[in-house]
Amino acid sequence: MRRSLVLISIVALLLVSATVARAQEIAFPAHDGDRVECNAYIEMPKGYVSGICVMVNDSGTVKGAIVNEFGITALDFTYNITDDKVRLESVVAMLDKWYIRNVLSKDIRELLLALREGRTAYNDEKYHITYTLTPMDRPQDDGTDDEETATDE
């Protein structure tokens, strides 16, 4: 009886650790060519930005963009993994102020570090800004084509 409980515990531990490792792989594009799509939610005291965040690892640099539901790009960024630095490429006009850009670049860096550790959120306590990225479910490819094939009759 004890042996079976130990065996069940070991199997459960392996399944949980595999699930956590998979969640970490999904949330951050760690390898060259990896692409991650997440639901993004940035909550501030006077408003929020929600949409989709897409990140791609391109030779040690993560390139990302946050796009809202209307297709307007809120911000584009690049994250150099080796230097551990974030550069904002473009920011929507409403957020394009030097002091906001500084806060955003520091917070995105912290958010990406959190993603690497397997967490999906970062809270900037000084400015009361909460960043949340939740991985989107990708449809599984079952090998069948959605298009119907025409047959000669």
Side-chain angles (χ1 to χ4, degrees):
M1 181 71 175
R2 282 188 176 178
R3 288 183 184 168
S4 62
L5 287 176
V6 170
L7 182 63
I8 290 171
S9 298
I10 291 172
V11 169
L13 181 64
L14 290 174
L15 289 174
V16 168
S17 64
T19 303
V20 169
R22 174 124 170 88
Q24 288 179 349
E25 290 174 8
I26 291 173
F28 185 80
H31 307 291
D32 191 26
D34 285 354
R35 178 180 174 165
V36 175
E37 299 167 353
C38 299
N39 291 318
Y41 189 75
I42 303 172
E43 186 176 6
M44 298 160 275
K46 293 185 178 182
Y48 68 92
V49 175
S50 64
I52 297 172
C53 178
V54 179
M55 295 179 284
V56 177
N57 188 329
D58 184 24
S59 302
T61 301
V62 175
K63 297 177 181 178
I66 297 178
V67 180
N68 73 3
E69 289 89 357
F70 298 107
I72 298 170
T73 302
L75 56 97
D76 291 324
F77 63 90
T78 57
Y79 172 63
N80 190 323
I81 296 172
T82 55
D83 294 341
D84 195 30
K85 292 185 180 179
V86 170
R87 179 176 174 206
L88 296 178
E89 301 297 332
S90 66
V91 179
V92 69
M94 154 177 97
L95 301 174
D96 198 11
K97 313 283 189 278
W98 68 268
Y99 47 90
I100 295 175
R101 288 177 73 98
N102 286 342
V103 171
L104 282 174
S105 64
K106 290 175 186 175
D107 288 351
I108 289 173
R109 179 186 165 272
E110 292 296 326
L111 177 62
L112 292 172
L113 292 175
L115 287 174
R116 290 176 81 175
E117 295 172 357
R119 295 179 286 133
T120 59
Y122 170 69
N123 185 19
D124 183 342
E125 294 175 5
K126 182 176 180 181
Y127 297 104
H128 307 290
I129 304 172
T130 303
Y131 301 84
T132 306
L133 294 180
T134 53
M136 297 174 72
D137 293 331
R138 287 189 176 181
Q140 297 295 323
D141 185 19
D142 58 359
T144 61
D145 292 336
D146 290 338
E147 299 177 14
E148 294 181 22
T149 56
T151 58
D152 294 331
E153 293 182 18

